Amino acid sequence: MDQNASGEDSDNIDWDTEDELEIQSSPLPSSSRLTYPDGEATVGDAEVISTTDLSHSKLINHFVGMGFPEELVAKVIEENGNCSVTLPALENSPRQEQPVDSDHYSSDYYENFADDLSDSDSWCEDEENTDSLSGKEKALSFLKKMGYTMEEASIAMERCGPDASVDELTDFICAAQMARAADPFFPELPEKPKRKLLENGMWKRKKHRGCDSRTMFDEEPLRLPNPMIGYGVPTELCPTPYRNLPEAAAGPPYFYYENVALAPKGVWDTIKRFLYDVEPEFVDSKYFCAAARKRGYVHNLPIQNRFPLVPLPPRTIKEALPLTRRWWPAWDTRTKLNCLQTCIGSAKLTERLRKALEDCYDDEPPAHVQKYVMDECRKWNLVWVGRNKLAPLECDEVEMLLGFPKNHTRGGGISRTDRYKSLGNSFQVDTVAYHLSVLKDLFPGGINMLSLFSGIGGAEVALHKLGVPLKTVVSVEKSEVNRNIVRGWWEQTNQKGTLIDFDDVTRVDGDQLEQLISNIGGFDFVIGGSPCNNLAGSNRHHRDGLEGKESSLFYDYFRILDLVKCIMAKPN
C-alpha cells in the first residue's frame, strides 16, 4: 500500500483516505473548460439552445463564446433551421484546425493527462478504428459510447489525472453520481442512462470486482446529517443531545470505532448491526480545526459533560497558517482546507500554476484561470506562499492541523512520503479528544486500553492531552513505521505505563486476550478505526465495501471486541 506522496509524480494514484467529496467541496461553475487537440470548448449545463430563445446573431455569439468556430456555428444553424442547436451537433461536425489558445497554461495542463492515457484491458472491439486518435480522444470516445456525457467524461479526466485508465474514469463517474445524493455541495452532473452500462459490459466488470448490480445502481451513500455535528460540538449544540443505548452495548468495556462517513449504502448499517445496534455519530472535523474530515463514530461512551481540548485550535486557514495572509488573493475564498489526504501536489503542478498566473497581465486573473487554479488548490490543499506561488502543506503543518505535536512523525529514518501517508490515515485528535473527554472523570487513576489499528497513536495522544493516565496500552498496528512513531512518542512524553504492541489484528486470538486481561485486570476501553481503503469513494480501484481486502478487517475489530466482552463477563 506504499505510494508516492506526490500526486503527479506517481504513476497511479490510489487515494488511501476517503474524502473524494472533500476535494470537490464547492460546486463547479455552470461550465467546464475542455481542451481538444484542435481548440477549446466549454460544456455548460444547458446543452440545448433554441433559436427561438436567442436571436440569430446572439446564438452565434453564444457558441463562439464557448470556443466553437464562427463558421461551424453558422453552418450548423443553417442546417438545422429553426430546430434546436445542440452541443453534440457542434461537437460531431467537421472542425477545422484551430490555432492553440493563447491561454497556453490550459493546453499545457491538459497535455499532462492526454499523454499516455490508455487502458490495455478495457478497450472494446472498435479499438482498431481508434489507432489514429490521441489517448485523450480515445478515452472521450469510449466514455461517450458507454453513455456518459461529455461533461462527465471531461471532469473525470481532469480529476483523475494524466495516467487514468478508462476503468478508473468510469469508477470516478460512478462514485460521483452516488456521492451527489449525500453532499449538497457536490457538483451536479447530468444523469447517465443506466442501461448503457449493461450494454457495454460495465456490469460484468463491476461484478467481477466484487460488486453486484445492486451495488452498481441502487446503492447510494448514507444520507449524512447537515450540519455534521453528531451529538454536539463545542461551538454548536445538538437539538436533541440524548440517546438510548441498546442493552447489548453496555460495558465493560467502553468501545469506540471510527471510519469514513461517506461509505456506500449499507456499510454503516452493517457496522451498526455488528456493533450492538449503536447508532453512528457523524462529525466533520471542520468544527474543531481548519480542515474538513467527515467521519462516523460508533461508541458506547456517555455524551453528556464533554469538553474540548484547550487552547482551542485555529479554525480557519489564515489563523492556522498566518504567513499565508500576505499572499492570499481575494478571489480565493477558502476558509477551510479539504480533507488532508495521503498524497500532496507535485512541484510540476505548482510550477504550472505559477506560470498560469504570471501569464495574466491583469492584477486579477480571468475567471477561467481562477477556476483552474482553485480546482487544483481544493484538490491538493495548496496554500499561498508568495506572489503567484502555491505550495502543498508541509508535514509539520499537517501535524498541527490534525492536532498532533510538532515533529510527531519525524525521526527514526521515516521518509516524508511515509509521514504524509501516516498522517493522512490518522484521527483528527481534537475531534476524538472531545468524545473521549468523558473518560477523565470515569478513570481518574488511569486507563487500560486496547488500541486496534493504532496508526500513529491518535487515541493515545488525545487521552494524554486530556490528562488521562495511560496505565497499559496494548497497541495493534501493522505498519512498522507507525509502531515506531508511537513508541517514540511514548518515550518522549515519559509515559509511566506499559506499552505492548502487536503487528496483526488477524492473529489476536482468545488465548492472547485472556492472558492480557488476566495480567492487567481487564480492558477499560477498546478503540480502533479499520482501514477505509475499500469504503472510500476516492479509492477508484477496489471500492468493494466491507468485503474488500483491507476494509474487511472491520470484522476483526468486532471479533476482538466481542471476545474481550465475553472474557470479561466470565465470573472470576
Side-chain angles (χ1 to χ4, degrees):
M1 302 214 315
D2 288 339
Q3 63 185 2
N4 196 316
S6 176
E8 289 198 339
D9 294 337
S10 173
D11 291 335
N12 195 5
I13 299 171
D14 189 7
W15 300 98
D16 275 353
T17 52
E18 54 97 16
D19 310 86
E20 96 284 6
L21 294 187
E22 306 293 2
I23 64 174
Q24 302 174 55
S25 60
S26 63
L28 291 176
S30 60
S31 62
S32 296
R33 195 172 181 84
L34 312 182
T35 302
Y36 293 91
D38 54 352
E40 288 190 334
T42 303
V43 181
D45 291 337
E47 292 197 4
V48 179
I49 305 295
S50 173
T51 54
T52 60
D53 298 331
L54 297 173
S55 69
H56 185 82
S57 60
K58 286 184 178 180
L59 188 62
I60 291 178
N61 290 337
H62 175 83
F63 282 107
V64 169
M66 294 170 64
F68 291 97
E70 183 175 353
E71 298 80 3
L72 174 62
V73 176
K75 180 180 178 182
V76 172
I77 293 175
E78 182 179 354
E79 291 175 354
N80 285 271
N82 292 327
C83 299
S84 296
V85 178
T86 65
L87 289 182
L90 290 169
E91 290 163 354
N92 294 330
S93 299
R95 303 177 68 180
Q96 297 177 351
E97 191 70 16
Q98 297 296 317
V100 177
D101 193 296
S102 59
D103 296 329
H104 57 270
Y105 86 90
S106 183
S107 60
D108 288 342
Y109 170 58
Y110 284 104
E111 280 174 5
N112 282 272
F113 64 74
D115 292 342
D116 302 325
L117 182 62
S118 62
D119 184 14
S120 58
D121 61 354
S122 297
W123 296 111
C124 62
E125 311 82 59
D126 296 333
E127 184 176 4
E128 62 271 16
N129 298 326
T130 62
D131 290 340
S132 62
L133 299 178
S134 68
K136 178 188 170 185
E137 288 175 314
K138 285 181 180 180
L140 287 172
S141 174
F142 191 76
L143 291 170
K144 188 174 181 181
K145 288 179 181 179
M146 293 178 68
Y148 296 104
T149 67
M150 289 294 293
E151 184 171 10
E152 286 178 308
S154 62
I155 291 177
M157 292 183 72
E158 178 179 351
R159 299 297 183 188
C160 293
D163 299 311
S165 66
V166 171
D167 227 6
E168 295 167 5
L169 296 172
T170 54
D171 276 1
F172 177 92
I173 297 172
C174 290
Q177 290 172 337
M178 289 192 297
R180 285 195 304 277
D183 194 330
F185 298 105
F186 198 85
E188 286 291 335
L189 295 179
E191 284 197 18
K192 162 181 51 56
K194 295 175 181 176
R195 187 174 59 182
K196 286 284 186 182
L197 289 174
L198 296 175
E199 293 172 354
N200 287 279
M202 187 66 178
W203 177 82
K204 292 181 180 178
R205 283 209 304 275
K206 285 292 179 181
K207 189 167 184 178
H208 178 70
R209 291 181 177 188
C211 303
D212 57 17
S213 58
R214 183 169 177 264
T215 302
M216 187 65 188
F217 298 136
D218 298 333
E219 296 220 353
E220 298 176 350
L222 183 70
R223 290 191 175 275
L224 301 174
N226 188 13
M228 198 182 295
I229 60 173
Y231 296 109
V233 296
T235 55
E236 298 188 36
L237 298 177
C238 179
T240 56
Y242 67 87
R243 65 172 177 171
N244 292 318
L245 281 174
E247 184 178 349
Y254 288 105
F255 66 87
Y256 187 89
Y257 175 80
E258 178 261 10
N259 216 314
V260 298
L262 195 65
K265 183 179 178 182
V267 167
W268 279 106
D269 289 334
T270 300
I271 292 172
K272 169 188 169 183
R273 185 169 69 251
F274 273 82
L275 295 181
Y276 318 107
D277 289 319
V278 176
E279 292 290 339
E281 179 177 10
F282 293 105
V283 181
D284 190 338
S285 293
K286 71 180 183 180
Y287 296 103
F288 291 86
C289 67
R293 204 172 193 79
K294 296 177 180 177
R295 296 291 188 267
Y297 305 91
V298 179
H299 62 87
N300 62 349
L301 294 168
I303 60 173
Q304 285 79 26
N305 301 319
R306 292 170 165 178
F307 59 89
L309 289 175
V310 290
L312 296 176
R315 292 186 53 209
T316 67
I317 299 173
K318 292 177 184 178
E319 290 173 355
L321 306 169
L323 295 181
T324 65
R325 289 175 182 268
R326 178 181 177 184
W327 308 109
W328 207 277
W331 48 270
D332 184 348
T333 58
R334 290 177 297 161
T335 59
K336 301 276 187 179
L337 293 165
N338 291 321
C339 182
L340 302 176
Q341 303 281 357
T342 57
C343 300
I344 63 168
S346 71
K348 291 180 181 179
L349 170 65
T350 54
E351 178 64 11
R352 279 205 306 276
L353 294 174
R354 183 187 65 78
K355 289 181 179 179
L357 292 166
E358 289 183 351
D359 285 347
C360 303
Y361 298 104
D362 297 332
D363 290 337
E364 185 170 302
H368 62 279
V369 176
Q370 291 183 23
K371 178 189 180 299
Y372 163 62
V373 172
M374 290 310 304
D375 282 350
E376 298 304 320
C377 286
R378 293 187 180 100
K379 181 176 182 179
W380 298 107
N381 279 320
L382 303 177
V383 294
W384 299 90
V385 295
R387 181 175 175 80
N388 295 329
K389 293 181 180 179
L390 287 151
L393 297 167
E394 294 294 335
C395 293
D396 60 336
E397 293 171 330
V398 178
E399 287 171 340
M400 177 269 297
L401 290 164
L402 291 173
F404 288 95
K406 187 174 182 179
N407 295 327
H408 181 73
T409 57
R410 186 179 182 183
I414 298 170
S415 68
R416 291 180 78 246
T417 297
D418 285 333
R419 292 181 70 186
Y420 282 116
K421 181 177 179 180
S422 296
L423 287 162
N425 286 313
S426 71
F427 287 151
Q428 203 290 321
V429 171
D430 299 276
T431 308
V432 172
Y434 184 67
H435 297 160
L436 304 190
S437 60
V438 296
L439 295 173
K440 185 170 184 178
D441 290 336
L442 292 171
F443 301 101
I447 193 169
N448 291 327
M449 180 170 72
L450 175 57
S451 178
L452 305 175
F453 315 101
S454 295
I456 57 175
E460 291 85 338
V461 172
L463 289 169
H464 176 67
K465 284 189 169 185
L466 288 166
V468 179
L470 300 173
K471 294 196 301 184
T472 304
V473 173
V474 176
S475 172
V476 187
E477 169 56 40
K478 182 178 181 180
S479 167
E480 183 179 2
V481 167
N482 291 345
R483 293 199 305 273
N484 290 338
I485 290 172
V486 174
R487 176 67 65 178
W489 171 83
W490 189 271
E491 295 170 353
Q492 290 166 10
T493 52
N494 299 315
Q495 296 295 321
K496 305 301 181 185
T498 302
L499 174 62
I500 304 169
D501 49 37
F502 297 92
D503 64 356
D504 192 347
V505 293
T506 64
R507 296 183 180 181
V508 176
D509 57 28
D511 292 339
Q512 287 177 315
L513 291 170
E514 196 157 12
Q515 183 65 43
L516 288 167
I517 289 170
S518 175
N519 291 341
I520 66 176
F523 288 109
D524 304 309
F525 186 43
V526 179
I527 188 169
S530 56
C532 65
N533 300 57
N534 309 118
L535 307 183
S538 49
N539 186 329
R540 302 184 295 269
H541 300 294
H542 310 289
R543 197 168 189 257
D544 301 326
L546 292 176
E547 306 311 312
K549 179 180 178 182
E550 286 83 17
S551 292
S552 62
L553 293 173
F554 157 73
Y555 297 109
D556 283 290
Y557 175 89
F558 165 72
R559 175 183 63 83
I560 293 170
L561 172 61
D562 210 46
L563 279 171
V564 170
K565 287 173 67 71
C566 291
I567 293 170
M568 292 179 60
K570 291 179 181 179
N572 294 329

